[in-house]
Amino acid sequence: MQKAVINPWEVKGEVDYNKIVKEFGVERISDKLLARIKKHTKTLHPMLKRKIFFAHRDMKWLLDEYEKGNKFFLYTGCGPSGPIHLGHLQVWYFTKWLQDVFDCELWFQFTDDEKFLIKNKSFEEIQEWMYENMLDVIAVGFNPKKTHFLIDTKHADLIYPQAIKVAKKITFSMVKSSFGLNDSNNIGLIFFTSVQAVPAFLPSIIKNKKTPCLIPHAIDQDPHFRLTRDILPKLGYYKPASIQCSFLPPLTGNQGKMSSSQAIKAILSTDSPEKVKQKINKYAFSGGKATIDEHRKKGGDPDVDVSFQYLKYMFEENDQALQEIYNDYKSGKLLTGELKQLTIIKINEFLRQHQEKRKKAKQQLDKFIYKN
Ligand code: TRP
């Protein structure tokens, strides 16, 4: 079997979440923690209930502070190098829920520097993607009064003086082992993690008040924040807390993550209803049996079926409805074609709304970009 690799710049192989929890040193989200969150939020987001957001760092501390009246801000981001897919939207729609229920500020970083450094694309291409990606972020529906876009190369006057303070505390060997870099990588990438650390404490500087930070992100970003957490106390700031999700599977099954550089593995935010139908029907890995007869007799496997996983991750919020689909597919009552059809309808309804908001996002762009 292919050895799994998981870091911000590469995800491949079978992802074993138990192993990640051990190796990364993150904590599983327990039912007790969920109950504590629910005290404040009244309801739990399906991605929490279903443990799709499955791990965290320091959530207990964050809630202690919150209960003492020390409110936190949210920080997440986007590396602009191509179109937005459902895996990005998974994290951002959850982040919007957090913003709404905790009524907090969100600092949203666009790492155009990072993507320029890692991808074989010109700076201009990256800028174009960044503009497109911003429309998707706005379409999620974040509160414009409480959301601040930070663009690494445009807000360099704010970011750079802080990034060098972080960089001074990180050695090349720490970066090499955390990110799988070697002597032939370009030197920009070696520095980059200090840039991604900055939004975790920049608001504390701007407001001149040490403020707790919660970072919702997919688990592959954890190496950045492991380093960030080591260093911020040395600079006089809180360690950021984080809440981490597993990857929405690529169309082809449970290996790696959805990625827009491999279009056949991903459903994009701008895909038409026909395109979604085509992709699901043609590529979505199925847990069904080879023939209808066999499927009816032996039933399918919803746990490996990608369409079912999409319903579970994002598109069927009703627990009872989801359980029925699970049971019916497992018993053979529901056929693969029918399950795919259900999923196509749900994704298209979601994308129709997202795309409508995306069209109106252009006029709002200016409100979101941070002005110092
Ligand atoms: N590096 C991330 C990416 O490639 C973008 C990012 C920047 C980010 N800051 C973040 C993601 C904070 C999650 C949380 O997509």
Side-chain angles (χ1 to χ4, degrees):
M1 202 184 69
Q2 194 184 17
K3 190 178 173 326
V5 177
I6 296 157
N7 70 55
W9 298 315
E10 196 175 20
V11 177
K12 65 172 195 210
E14 189 95 30
V15 187
D16 176 342
Y17 290 103
N18 284 325
K19 221 167 128 193
I20 291 180
V21 167
K22 267 202 217 116
E23 280 176 15
F24 285 16
V26 294
E27 234 180 288
R28 285 251 178 210
I29 294 180
S30 66
D31 293 332
K32 201 170 145 210
L33 179 61
L34 287 184
R36 192 168 171 204
I37 293 172
K38 197 173 169 191
K39 264 201 334 220
H40 298 287
T41 60
K42 309 294 184 276
T43 58
L44 281 179
H45 193 282
M47 288 190 219
L48 278 175
K49 257 191 289 186
R50 295 175 190 168
K51 307 259 170 92
I52 287 162
F53 273 79
F54 71 104
H56 73 99
R57 292 181 187 275
D58 265 347
M59 277 299 288
K60 289 171 205 151
W61 164 79
L62 189 88
L63 291 171
D64 287 343
E65 290 300 311
Y66 185 77
E67 286 164 10
K68 283 188 248 162
N70 194 9
K71 283 189 84 174
F72 59 88
F73 67 90
L74 295 164
Y75 159 39
T76 194
C78 164
S81 68
I84 293 311
H85 55 65
L86 296 179
H88 297 112
L89 295 181
Q90 174 197 353
V91 179
W92 301 343
Y93 275 88
F94 178 72
T95 304
K96 170 177 159 52
W97 179 80
L98 287 175
Q99 180 175 55
D100 289 345
V101 293
F102 285 104
D103 185 33
C104 44
E105 285 202 0
L106 165 64
W107 290 77
F108 200 106
Q109 180 179 40
F110 290 89
T111 54
D112 56 340
D113 50 349
E114 172 192 23
K115 291 296 158 170
F116 172 70
L117 291 165
I118 190 101
K119 298 278 174 177
N120 195 7
K121 291 196 173 154
S122 71
F123 188 71
E124 290 66 35
E125 275 175 278
I126 296 290
Q127 298 303 304
E128 279 162 29
W129 281 120
M130 184 161 65
Y131 173 72
E132 291 296 319
N133 294 176
M134 284 176 166
L135 302 181
D136 279 294
V137 177
I138 293 170
V140 172
F142 294 115
N143 180 349
K145 292 204 181 78
K146 296 196 165 200
T147 304
H148 311 290
F149 287 1
L150 283 174
I151 302 167
D152 286 350
T153 63
K154 303 291 176 293
H155 293 97
D157 56 337
L158 281 175
I159 295 171
Y160 192 67
Q162 306 311 328
I164 56 171
K165 293 175 195 163
V166 178
K168 200 171 178 176
K169 308 249 179 248
I170 303 178
T171 64
F172 185 21
S173 74
M174 285 158 82
V175 170
K176 263 195 208 170
S177 61
S178 301
F179 299 94
L181 297 181
N182 59 53
D183 285 2
S184 58
N185 283 106
N186 72 62
I187 60 172
L189 276 182
I190 301 165
F191 179 79
F192 173 73
T193 192
S194 51
V195 175
Q196 187 154 322
V198 171
F201 65 104
L202 188 65
S204 293
I205 297 176
I206 290 174
K207 302 204 156 96
N208 197 17
K209 179 178 182 286
K210 251 170 88 161
T211 313
C213 168
L214 173 62
I215 311 175
H217 66 84
I219 189 75
D220 58 333
Q221 296 295 314
D222 188 69
H224 283 301
F225 302 123
R226 237 155 35 216
L227 285 175
T228 303
R229 284 168 52 84
D230 282 347
I231 287 152
L232 293 209
K234 297 181 190 162
L235 300 177
Y237 304 104
Y238 293 129
K239 288 183 182 193
S242 59
I243 184 161
Q244 301 154 338
C245 63
S246 53
F247 302 114
L248 184 77
L251 282 162
T252 45
N254 279 325
Q255 297 243 328
K257 64 170 182 176
M258 210 178 247
S259 154
S260 33
S261 44
Q262 294 154 294
I264 66 150
K265 290 190 172 183
I267 292 177
L268 307 180
S269 72
T270 49
D271 277 347
S272 67
E274 297 72 49
K275 192 110 214 172
V276 170
K277 183 171 170 193
Q278 218 182 51
K279 284 184 178 176
I280 294 282
N281 281 335
K282 191 158 173 201
Y283 301 118
F285 183 81
S286 151
K289 296 289 186 298
T291 65
I292 292 187
D293 266 0
E294 201 192 342
H295 189 88
R296 290 271 188 234
K297 266 190 221 123
K298 297 186 184 152
D301 184 354
D303 294 309
V304 301
D305 188 279
V306 165
S307 302
F308 182 79
Q309 296 307 313
Y310 290 175
L311 293 176
K312 178 176 165 189
Y313 269 70
M314 291 180 76
F315 302 108
E316 181 51 79
E317 298 212 332
N318 182 314
D319 291 331
Q320 206 187 328
L322 187 75
Q323 188 63 47
E324 269 168 35
I325 294 169
Y326 185 94
N327 295 344
D328 289 351
Y329 195 62
K330 209 166 170 105
S331 74
K333 189 171 157 203
L334 188 69
L335 299 175
T336 296
E338 293 166 337
L339 173 58
K340 287 195 172 192
Q341 182 55 22
L342 279 174
T343 310
I344 292 164
I345 291 171
K346 287 277 182 181
I347 295 179
N348 279 337
E349 178 52 22
F350 170 85
L351 285 182
R352 187 183 61 74
Q353 295 182 30
H354 181 82
Q355 289 167 6
E356 229 165 74
K357 291 181 282 171
R358 196 179 184 281
K359 266 193 233 138
K360 298 186 196 131
K362 292 183 185 121
Q363 301 104 332
Q364 289 174 272
L365 187 58
D366 191 55
K367 280 193 278 185
F368 280 92
I369 295 176
Y370 181 69
K371 313 276 184 316
N372 31 319

